[in-house]
Amino acid sequence: MTTFLLDTVGESMALPSPAPTSMSLDQALERRCSTRAFLPDGLSLAALSALLWAACGVNREQQGGRTAPSAHNWKEIDIYAVLAAGTYRYEPRTHRLFLIRVGDLRAHTGLQDFVGTAPLNLVYVADLGRMTEVDAKDRPFLAGADAGCIAQNVYLHCAAAGLATVVRAMIDRKQLAQALGLPATHRIALAQTVGHAKP
């Protein structure tokens, strides 16, 4: 695994340009599946870059459009990449990672044993404050739908890139929110584990 831990919380680093995959959409759909057994081998920075761009990166520069849809164009979902060395927040507009926490928070990202040793756990966090002109009771539903679209992008990318993944809702959201230092207006929608499947 490429080492890219930053020294100070709040520091950021640019990701390399994402490399395209050559698999067709039909082939990716045929191979899409959930996996719950992962090798400990980490992902390279290039692999992480391509994965995050596929998840919710900018695909239309002038409009700031992204690879995943968002209700009302709120773009309320932030992606946190939880790795063994630290936790990062992905910034799609600049395709950068911002260091949020130093240390291993992987075990906090779910209730299943495998999340603590899999190389990468993505956490999809909704900033409800961005969701304007909608009833408060509808915000979690809409944020969940947007997070689901991102999760499917990750599934298809993993199928095309030879990676394994599973989306998860079994999370101690209060504990994880505290570990990530999330403000009160933020809610954890889903988590998703990514890595190389055990044979």
Side-chain angles (χ1 to χ4, degrees):
M1 176 177 173
T2 303
T3 301
F4 53 91
L5 178 66
L6 300 169
D7 295 325
T8 307
V9 169
E11 284 187 329
S12 71
M13 64 178 296
L15 289 165
S17 296
T21 61
S22 59
M23 185 178 290
S24 72
L25 175 60
D26 286 346
Q27 290 173 314
L29 287 167
E30 286 178 356
R31 295 187 185 187
R32 191 220 66 80
C33 66
S34 293
T35 303
R36 293 171 180 82
F38 297 87
L39 294 172
D41 308 24
L43 304 181
S44 69
L45 188 59
L48 182 60
S49 171
L51 175 73
L52 291 172
W53 181 84
C56 198
V58 174
N59 64 356
R60 287 153 289 158
E61 288 288 343
Q62 288 190 336
Q63 304 96 330
R66 299 189 183 176
T67 59
S70 172
H72 297 269
N73 202 32
W74 286 317
K75 300 184 177 82
E76 81 283 6
I77 302 295
D78 289 324
I79 300 177
Y80 288 74
V82 184
L83 301 152
T87 298
Y88 299 81
R89 180 179 56 80
Y90 175 56
E91 171 49 59
R93 288 174 297 176
T94 57
H95 199 54
R96 299 181 73 87
L97 290 175
F98 286 80
L99 182 63
I100 302 300
R101 290 283 187 272
V102 175
D104 191 353
L105 298 181
R106 290 176 297 169
H108 292 275
T109 68
L111 303 181
Q112 300 97 326
D113 290 340
F114 65 82
V115 305
T117 56
L120 170 65
N121 290 288
L122 302 176
V123 180
Y124 305 136
V125 178
D127 181 353
L128 303 183
R130 300 179 200 167
M131 303 176 77
T132 58
E133 299 179 356
V134 66
D135 288 342
K137 63 180 176 59
D138 292 329
R139 291 174 186 172
F141 169 78
L142 293 169
D146 288 347
C149 292
I150 294 171
Q152 180 68 338
N153 280 4
V154 170
Y155 265 107
L156 294 176
H157 175 80
C158 286
L163 296 171
T165 189
V166 62
V167 68
R168 302 180 285 98
M170 293 175 60
I171 307 163
D172 185 333
R173 287 173 170 79
K174 182 177 180 180
Q175 181 191 66
L176 181 54
Q178 290 175 345
L180 295 176
L182 299 179
T185 59
H186 288 54
R187 297 287 186 277
I188 295 166
L190 295 169
Q192 190 163 11
T193 304
V194 178
H196 297 280
K198 283 185 177 179

